């Protein structure tokens, strides 16, 4: 091949990617990491996450994912395992393919070729944003200060005792309303379909919506009212002229799944776009492992991403050690 073949290639620089890199180098395996281009990073969940309040030891970080990840890479670079890590800052992977020897050929965002025996794909997901007057920009300042959130496990507690709105439609959005109403006693709960015709709810969901007095409004949102700098959300102005009071918003519009590289290799994907794996994270493509939000059937949490990454890195290490063992025995 002419170029060095790394033992492990990690694609993605979020929680799963950094933990996969850490575990790989601590296992004493050569690891190359492509954290993504600046454009990739802006499309990632990690970029938009500020505080993390549902995990021990993360409360003091100003950027709940990026700051600890940066600390990890700095620690590796100053550790006895520094030579095991090749970190391709601001670089992603454009294409991936299998070689005849079952290793992987990767072409980076800079057009350069790399080879790896195993790949841990950690490209993750992004939440779909609501469009207001044709743009996602009006909601983003509120998302940046956790007045508009996406993950119930991460941020549901922010709705405690507040007048709540959910931007979404159908049973999924309604279940978010029901859970938050039951868990945090929100005085008022309203679903905003933002110009979409409300979907028919299942009988169970409709009965709970009626029980809790959850309103559904289908008018388009034309303005967000509040002051993100003062950490204040007042409400939404709707196209019918009504101003709806809201102190906190959950956005329940689904996810964009970054599965393009898995698709290039023909990996099995479920109906929502997540990559199907075995218990160690190996996909239907031998040698391709999936960690973090991209993996099917798993919680979309930092701690599950870490667990996925450790499982995959340890499985890869066991495979590498097994091959070395066979080579050693063959020489005796």
């Amino acid at each position: 091949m002419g170029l060095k073949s790394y033992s492990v290639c990690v694609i993605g620089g979020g929680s799963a990617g950094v933990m996969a890199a850490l575990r790989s180098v601590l296992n004493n395996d050569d690891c190359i990491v492509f954290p993504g281009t600046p454009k990739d990073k802006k499309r990632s969940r990690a970029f938009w996450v500020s505080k993390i309040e549902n995990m021990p030891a993360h409360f003091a970080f100003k950027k709940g994912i990026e700051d600890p990840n940066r600390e990890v890479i700095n620690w590796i670079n100053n550790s006895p395992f520094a030579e095991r890590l090749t970190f391709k800052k601001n670089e992603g992977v454009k294409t991936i393919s299998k070689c005849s020897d079952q290793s992987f050929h990767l072409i980076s965002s800079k057009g350069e070729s790399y080879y790896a025996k195993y790949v841990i794909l950690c490209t993750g997901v992004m939440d779909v944003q609501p469009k207001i007057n044709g743009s996602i920009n009006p909601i983003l300042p509120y998302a940046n200060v956790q007045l508009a959130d996406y993950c119930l496990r991460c941020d549901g507690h922010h709705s405690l005792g507040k007048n709540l709105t959910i931007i979404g439609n159908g049973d999924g959005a309604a279940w978010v309303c029901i859970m938050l109403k039951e868990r945090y006693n929100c005085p008022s709960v309203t679903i905003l379909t933002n110009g979409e015709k409300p979907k028919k709810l299942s009988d169970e969901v409709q009965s709970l919506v009626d029980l809790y007095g959850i309103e559904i409004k289908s008018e388009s949102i034309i303005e967000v009212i509040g002051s993100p700098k003062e950490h204040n959300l007042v409400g939404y102005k709707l196209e019918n002229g009504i101003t709806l009071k809201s102190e906190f918003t959950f956005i329940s519009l689904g996810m964009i799944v970054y599965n393009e590289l898995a698709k290039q290799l023909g990996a099995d994907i479920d109906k929502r776009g997540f990559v199907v794996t075995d218990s160690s994270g190996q996909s239907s493509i031998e040698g391709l492992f999936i960690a973090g939000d991209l993996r099917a059937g798993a919680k979309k949490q930092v701690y599950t991403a870490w667990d996925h990454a450790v499982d995959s890195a340890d499985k890869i290490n066991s495979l590498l050690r097994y091959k070395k063992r066979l080579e050693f025995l063959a020489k005796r």
Side-chain angles (χ1 to χ4, degrees):
M1 292 180 182
L3 295 174
K4 177 180 177 179
S5 180
Y6 294 86
S7 296
V8 187
C9 173
V10 174
I11 304 174
S15 297
V18 169
M19 179 58 88
L22 177 61
R23 188 65 260 163
S24 294
V25 300
L26 291 181
N27 286 344
N28 211 25
D29 295 327
D30 286 324
C31 178
I32 184 169
V33 180
F34 293 92
T37 65
K39 183 179 179 180
D40 294 332
K41 292 175 184 177
K42 287 183 179 179
R43 299 191 311 153
S44 72
R45 261 187 163 184
F47 181 83
W48 296 104
V49 172
S50 49
K51 295 287 185 179
I52 289 184
E53 298 169 345
N54 67 329
M55 281 180 50
H58 275 62
F59 302 105
F61 290 115
K62 291 183 179 179
K63 292 289 289 181
I65 292 178
E66 290 190 341
D67 289 350
N69 285 356
R70 191 178 298 110
E71 283 191 10
V72 170
I73 298 302
N74 289 340
W75 181 87
I76 294 173
N77 286 331
N78 289 284
S79 78
F81 295 93
E83 64 180 15
R84 291 299 188 187
L85 178 67
T86 301
F87 190 82
K88 306 299 290 185
K89 186 177 180 180
N90 292 332
E91 200 166 346
V93 173
K94 288 173 59 178
T95 65
I96 183 170
S97 58
K98 273 261 190 170
C99 303
S100 58
D101 65 356
Q102 295 304 300
S103 65
F104 295 88
H105 177 212
L106 307 105
I107 298 179
S108 76
S109 55
K110 294 183 178 180
E112 297 172 347
S113 285
Y114 298 88
Y115 294 91
K117 296 180 179 69
Y118 297 96
V119 170
I120 307 178
L121 188 60
C122 312
T123 43
V125 302
M126 183 61 182
D127 301 282
V128 176
Q129 306 289 345
K131 290 188 176 181
I132 298 170
N133 296 322
S135 172
I136 67 173
N137 290 332
I139 199 67
L140 294 183
Y142 297 89
N144 289 342
V145 296
Q146 296 179 295
L147 290 168
D149 278 324
Y150 307 85
C151 175
L152 287 171
R153 285 191 181 90
C154 302
D155 301 304
H157 57 282
H158 293 150
S159 65
L160 179 65
K162 294 179 180 176
N163 292 292
L164 175 68
T165 48
I166 308 296
I167 300 177
N169 204 347
D171 276 10
W175 271 120
V176 172
C177 290
I178 292 161
M179 182 183 295
L180 293 174
K181 173 68 176 178
E182 291 176 339
R183 190 176 280 176
Y184 300 111
N185 195 30
C186 303
S188 68
V189 183
T190 306
I191 297 173
L192 300 176
T193 68
N194 195 23
E196 291 189 4
K197 181 181 178 180
K199 296 178 181 177
K200 181 176 173 57
L201 303 177
S202 64
D203 291 343
E204 179 187 10
V205 172
Q206 186 65 62
S207 67
L208 291 170
V209 165
D210 294 339
L211 176 67
Y212 295 133
I214 296 171
E215 292 189 84
I216 301 176
K217 295 189 178 295
S218 60
E219 294 84 3
S220 295
I221 301 168
I222 61 172
E223 184 182 352
V224 188
I225 304 170
S227 176
K229 290 183 178 179
E230 297 176 5
H231 205 270
N232 182 36
L233 174 63
V234 175
Y236 297 93
K237 187 174 181 181
L238 306 181
E239 64 178 343
N240 60 2
I242 290 176
T243 297
L244 179 70
K245 184 177 181 180
S246 176
E247 298 166 285
F248 185 77
T249 292
F250 249 91
I251 297 166
S252 182
L253 294 172
M255 294 177 178
I256 302 166
V257 185
Y258 296 133
N259 58 17
E260 295 87 351
L261 294 175
K263 283 183 173 180
Q264 287 181 20
L265 290 167
D268 289 345
I269 292 170
D270 71 11
K271 63 182 180 180
R272 295 179 64 197
F274 299 104
V275 184
V276 178
T277 73
D278 65 14
S279 59
S280 70
Q282 187 163 212
S283 70
S284 59
I285 304 301
E286 185 177 356
L288 175 67
F289 290 77
I290 311 297
D293 292 349
L294 184 59
R295 190 189 292 193
K299 298 183 185 73
K300 311 308 178 188
Q301 296 287 290
V302 171
Y303 44 83
T304 46
W306 287 347
D307 193 41
H308 295 165
V310 170
D311 285 346
S312 295
D314 282 354
K315 178 62 176 180
I316 289 170
N317 179 259
S318 72
L319 293 170
L320 291 167
R321 287 186 293 105
Y322 179 69
K323 289 179 181 179
K324 287 179 181 179
R325 193 180 309 141
L326 292 180
E327 292 170 359
F328 179 77
L329 290 171
K331 292 177 181 178
R332 296 188 67 182

